[in-house]
Amino acid sequence: MSDGYRAVIIGTSAGGTAALKVLLPLLPAGYPLPVIVVQHLHPLQNGAGMLQFKYSCYLPLAVAEDKGVIKAGYVFFAPPNYHLLFEDASTFALSVDEKVNFARPSIDVSFKSAVAVFGAGLIGVILTGGNRDGAQGLQCIHARGGLTVVQDPKTAESPYMPRAALERIPADHVLSLNDIGRLLAALPETEINAE
Amino acid sequence: MQENERIEIDLFLEAIFRRYGYDFRHYARASVRRRLERLMMRSGAASIVELIPLVLHDELFAQTAIYEFSITVTEMFRDPDFYSAVRSKVLPYLATYPFMRIWIAGCATGEEVYSLAIILQEEGVYDRTTFFATDFNDQALQQAQDGIYPLNSIRDYTPNYQLAGGRNSFADYYHAGYQSAVMDPGLKAHITFANHNLVTDGVFGEMHLILCRNVLIYFDKELKNRVLHLLHDSLVYGGFLCLGTRESLQFTEVQEAFKPFDIKQRVYQKQNR
Ligand SMILES: C[S@@+](CC[C@H](N)C(=O)[O-])C[C@H]1O[C@@H](n2cnc3c(N)ncnc32)[C@H](O)[C@@H]1O
């Protein structure tokens, strides 16, 4: 169906930092896709959340910049107080327009923008969170034939966001953090084997 | 499918340009796509092409559409560290000039202009400064000129004012009414508000400091370069250009013409040639 996975996008809010601390270190060095994290943070927390993963993660971490290049093998974080958009498959764009779902960055906004450029090659992941942001975005990824992954609400620090996503679509995978890590790590390979 | 969308967007933007002279053809596509979605929702149009006759024949709708591309979301003392850097690093440098000209390009509803004016007053250089605050959105400019803001948002700005090194009480700078706050008219004395479109209007000469924050993010790379040349040409040698905290001159045509002055706060200084 898809002619290859092109990017992973992860949305999370409450409990997100602890969840990412488990998930991100499971991705191997040289990971062949860009990984983009959209996390609700306080506006003044400029990249501070990101530093917490620095020493446990095999992949280089960066805060997305306006018109910055999207590179495979990096983990990019949406900067607080901006919406993170996709100009094309290799270029970020930022916007400071109205909050969506009381959030900026909004996960819905980024997921929808990402699916417009990555199409069926997008892997969307919803982790722990205390609101409904991301559910609609994940539905868009599903509708375009992308792969949808949701943290099993039973295992989530805050199950509300995963549940809201599952109310909208039957995700392709509903898994614990460790299993999501293993799945993401293996996906690009399984695909090469299948070719 | 993606190619069709691109054609539809091109045609829509071309229609606005040919009919009304507003040129959004090189605005960042990611954000244009979102704005068009909102216009479609508002008007009930099922596709982007259906917006074209609306915008051509209904001038009221066209006005709405044009303002839709002007995203005027702004705050006072957004990024307090930036204002601290202006206070402690940029102003001491500029204070050696007998007078100062400052251009705030894309000032939206004016919050940034008043923030900067407050800093300059506190540093004792306001009286030798002339401010030019410009935007292409006349509605926003009028609000900027009025300087009246909802009281609850003004209250939200107070912590940021303090983080920016504020020396007084923020309440000294406005008169609180029932629901709104009127900015101290003294802050306005040296500010000229004017319509200026960065895409179609020319150089705004001999500035010592230009703030163009969170505006170039709405442009594609080509337009961003074009506008950066315009900003560069509007600065005196040694003058400063300030961008938003997530924008940079990296990979742009003017990268060499500036040197980073405070790279974290995205303050650049125009190089002598
Ligand atoms: C998001 S606001 C930024 C406001 C403020 N500078 C800040 O950082 O908070 C972007 C502003 O840029 C203005 N703008 C967009 N395109 C412009 C153009 N071609 N010429 C002048 N202003 C423009 C919009 O009208 C809007 O007011």
Side-chain angles (χ1 to χ4, degrees):
Chain A
M1 213 175 28
S2 92
D3 31 282
Y5 294 119
R6 302 169 69 194
V8 179
I9 188 161
I10 300 173
T12 183
S13 86
T17 302
L20 291 167
K21 262 187 189 160
V22 176
L23 177 59
L24 295 179
L26 295 170
L27 301 176
Y31 193 65
L33 306 176
V35 178
I36 298 127
V37 176
V38 184
Q39 188 185 2
H40 299 158
L41 288 172
H42 187 273
L44 295 181
Q45 226 173 323
N46 264 350
M50 188 182 96
L51 286 177
Q52 311 205 27
F53 317 115
K54 200 169 165 184
Y55 300 104
S56 54
C57 204
Y58 297 102
L59 304 177
L61 311 176
V63 178
E65 291 260 327
D66 184 60
K67 313 286 144 41
V69 183
I70 303 173
K71 281 182 280 202
Y74 277 75
V75 182
F76 292 101
F77 289 78
N81 221 4
Y82 289 88
H83 288 302
L84 179 64
L85 308 177
F86 297 80
E87 190 67 358
D88 52 51
S90 57
T91 317
F92 289 116
L94 300 176
S95 175
V96 288
D97 54 312
E98 309 77 9
K99 292 183 178 177
V100 174
N101 305 323
F102 308 104
R104 191 172 52 218
S106 149
I107 301 166
D108 276 342
V109 167
S110 293
F111 277 25
K112 281 189 216 166
S113 180
V115 85
V117 304
F118 294 113
L122 187 64
I123 302 171
V125 184
I126 291 287
L127 305 178
T128 164
N131 56 48
R132 307 188 67 83
D133 194 23
Q136 211 188 359
L138 199 72
Q139 187 175 26
C140 292
I141 296 177
H142 175 76
R144 282 290 291 274
L147 190 79
T148 55
V149 182
V150 175
Q151 182 179 6
D152 184 345
K154 289 198 294 287
T155 69
E157 184 175 327
S158 182
Y160 196 80
M161 205 149 98
R163 263 196 214 125
L166 292 171
E167 274 164 24
R168 282 191 175 245
I169 51 150
D172 296 309
H173 299 275
V174 181
L175 301 169
S176 70
L177 287 172
N178 277 305
D179 288 340
I180 293 175
R182 280 190 275 273
L183 173 79
L184 293 180
L187 268 180
E189 277 176 42
T190 48
E191 187 177 71
I192 291 164
N193 293 342
E195 265 170 25
Chain B
M1 171 150 179
Q2 270 173 15
E3 179 59 17
N4 277 353
E5 189 199 64
R6 188 170 319 143
I7 296 170
E8 290 192 28
I9 294 177
D10 284 346
L11 291 172
F12 176 84
L13 298 179
E14 185 71 26
I16 291 198
F17 176 60
R18 299 256 301 267
R19 177 79 164 76
Y20 302 100
Y22 286 95
D23 190 353
F24 301 113
R25 293 173 300 174
H26 284 281
Y27 275 44
R29 279 300 152 106
S31 151
V32 166
R33 218 183 272 126
R34 291 196 64 217
R35 302 335 275 185
L36 290 178
E37 258 171 40
R38 281 171 53 119
L39 284 174
M40 280 160 60
M41 285 236 286
R42 217 186 268 195
S43 61
S47 67
I48 296 168
V49 272
E50 278 185 28
L51 291 171
I52 296 175
L54 283 176
V55 88
L56 287 179
H57 302 301
D58 180 346
E59 290 193 12
L60 220 63
F61 180 78
Q63 191 59 258
T64 313
I66 288 162
Y67 283 155
E68 187 68 36
F69 288 100
S70 154
I71 296 159
T72 57
V73 176
T74 182
E75 289 168 36
M76 286 196 191
F77 298 102
R78 185 188 165 109
D79 313 312
D81 290 348
F82 163 70
Y83 287 94
S84 297
V86 170
R87 191 196 285 278
S88 64
K89 295 184 188 164
V90 176
L91 289 184
Y93 194 100
L94 288 178
T96 57
Y97 288 96
F99 63 91
M100 245 188 276
R101 289 157 62 87
I102 301 182
W103 179 17
I104 294 102
C107 68
T109 44
E111 284 84 338
E112 194 182 28
V113 189
Y114 290 105
S115 308
L116 195 63
I118 288 172
I119 301 267
L120 270 85
Q121 272 200 353
E122 292 188 358
E123 298 309 309
V125 287
Y126 182 92
D127 289 338
R128 339 184 228 138
T129 307
T130 312
F131 296 80
F132 300 91
T134 65
D135 204 284
F136 84 93
N137 179 335
D138 279 329
Q139 252 172 23
L141 270 177
Q142 186 59 53
Q143 285 183 46
Q145 177 125 43
D146 294 343
I148 302 173
Y149 302 104
L151 196 55
N152 52 353
S153 46
I154 285 278
R155 289 203 176 114
D156 289 345
Y157 302 142
T158 306
N160 277 8
Y161 163 74
Q162 276 150 4
L163 287 171
R167 298 192 198 279
N168 301 319
S169 157
F170 188 45
D172 295 348
Y173 295 104
Y174 59 84
H175 305 286
Y178 179 51
Q179 277 180 326
S180 53
V182 184
M183 297 313 290
D184 172 12
L187 290 171
K188 262 194 285 205
H190 290 200
I191 306 175
T192 303
F193 295 93
N195 188 304
H196 180 279
N197 191 320
L198 289 164
V199 182
T200 40
D201 292 330
V203 167
F204 221 70
E206 302 287 290
M207 296 294 157
H208 298 92
L209 171 62
I210 298 178
L211 267 62
C212 188
R213 310 186 72 227
N214 304 310
V215 178
L216 303 178
I217 54 177
Y218 297 105
F219 301 167
D220 72 8
K221 286 181 199 163
E222 184 185 323
L223 181 57
K224 179 176 171 181
N225 271 318
R226 227 164 74 204
V227 174
L228 280 171
H229 281 294
L230 173 94
L231 299 177
H232 176 263
D233 293 346
S234 304
L235 275 173
V236 300
Y237 287 111
F240 295 93
L241 172 65
C242 307
L243 304 179
T245 43
R246 297 294 166 192
E247 311 170 61
S248 85
L249 294 184
Q250 227 190 337
F251 311 123
T252 68
E253 290 168 8
V254 300
Q255 186 174 2
E256 301 294 313
F258 286 93
K259 76 166 193 274
F261 182 78
D262 181 335
I263 194 62
K264 185 138 190 279
Q265 299 308 326
R266 311 301 156 110
V267 180
Y268 299 88
Q269 188 173 28
K270 179 168 165 174
Q271 300 264 36
N272 291 327
R273 37 180 318 185

